[in-house]
Amino acid sequence: MSVFSPGFRGHARPADDRLPPGQYRTEDFPVLSAGPTPRVDLDTWTFTIVDETGGRHRWTWPEFLDLPQSSPHVDIHCVTRWSKLDTDWVGVSLDTLLDRVPTQADYALAVSYGGYTTNMPLEDLTDGKAWIVHRFDGRDLAPEHGGPARLLVPHLYFWKSAKWVTEIRLLDEDEAGFWENAGYHEYGDPWREQRYQGD
Ligand SMILES: Nc1nc2c(c(=O)[nH]1)N[C@H]1C(S)=C(S)[C@@H](COP(=O)(O)O)O[C@H]1N2
Ligand SMILES: [Mo]
């Protein structure tokens, strides 16, 4: 006997199942920035992957927009406990960018205009798990949310999704970023509630 109507199991999980422990759902989009919003000019914008030998792989804005684009539909979870479900983005998969970059590195450090940094294992940026996005909810990404382009790594707490990203450094040794140096968890899996060091 089933209390579910036919087809129920084929639908998305109920919203509460999509909330990691200790999170609440929000409909608006809070802005969380550790500093001022940098002015980033599209004429001089570049995105660079620096491999572990120092080799630089760089894209200008037109080159970046020429790459195959994806439209991730994802839930995002901030360590300050808000989660926003069903967000829509447009951008380039890290798989596409890393295609051009031969590497044996195990770690990555994202670096933003303005100096913000955040680290993660390189495997958390591959296999369809991360993008450099430039549109949100049908519009160009607003400057306060990281426009012209930000990293999106939705399976980790949102501090890993560096706004105004300009560089990803591939590293043999892990290197802590801004919040990781300030006592936040080095990995930050919301489903394991890895908020702070030692969680
Ligand atoms: N460059 C940069 N990226 C950043 C931050 C920041 O302060 N600077 N804050 C992080 C944190 S803690 C969160 S929760 C999200 C917030 O993104 P939003 O302001 O678009 O909600 O961006 C992350 N990326
Ligand atoms: Mo955050």
Side-chain angles (χ1 to χ4, degrees):
M1 195 188 83
S2 174
V3 297
F4 299 113
S5 50
F8 178 85
R9 281 159 208 287
H11 290 116
R13 284 174 295 160
D16 279 356
D17 286 11
R18 292 161 59 186
L19 274 186
Q23 296 292 112
Y24 67 87
R25 182 178 180 166
T26 184
E27 297 298 332
D28 44 53
F29 197 172
V31 172
L32 281 110
S33 302
T37 296
R39 278 182 69 92
V40 183
D41 189 346
L42 293 182
D43 292 336
T44 54
W45 180 92
T46 55
F47 176 71
T48 305
I49 298 178
V50 186
D51 67 37
E52 70 274 27
T53 68
R56 300 175 72 83
H57 311 263
R58 176 189 271 198
W59 293 264
T60 63
W61 187 253
E63 288 167 344
F64 171 71
L65 291 185
D66 265 353
L67 296 170
Q69 305 285 316
S70 320
S71 302
H73 177 93
V74 297
D75 301 340
I76 54 180
H77 312 289
C78 175
V79 74
T80 63
R81 300 187 182 272
W82 57 266
S83 289
K84 189 171 172 59
L85 307 187
D86 298 310
T87 62
D88 285 294
W89 308 82
V90 177
V92 177
S93 169
L94 258 295
D95 295 309
T96 302
L97 296 157
L98 285 163
D99 230 26
R100 244 176 60 180
V101 183
T103 180
Q104 305 282 322
D106 288 325
Y107 301 100
L109 183 74
V111 181
S112 298
Y113 288 106
Y116 183 85
T117 54
T118 186
N119 60 305
M120 62 221 84
L122 180 53
E123 66 180 10
D124 285 85
L125 294 178
T126 58
D127 292 327
K129 295 197 287 293
W131 299 265
I132 305 291
V133 291
H134 57 92
R135 288 176 70 78
F136 169 75
D137 209 14
R139 298 192 175 150
D140 289 344
L141 184 59
E144 65 269 26
H145 286 299
R150 78 182 295 165
L151 181 59
L152 176 67
V153 195
H155 70 287
L156 300 176
Y157 279 125
F158 207 36
W159 89 73
K160 301 286 184 179
S161 293
K163 303 195 278 189
W164 317 296
V165 70
T166 184
E167 197 169 294
I168 290 180
R169 296 183 192 151
L170 307 182
L171 305 167
D172 292 324
E173 308 278 342
D174 199 10
E175 197 178 303
F178 179 81
W179 286 117
E180 294 83 5
N181 265 318
Y184 283 81
H185 198 275
E186 68 272 14
Y187 186 62
D189 179 351
W191 295 96
R192 289 186 277 167
E193 219 173 343
Q194 295 172 333
R195 297 178 193 276
Y196 309 105
Q197 249 164 57
D199 284 351

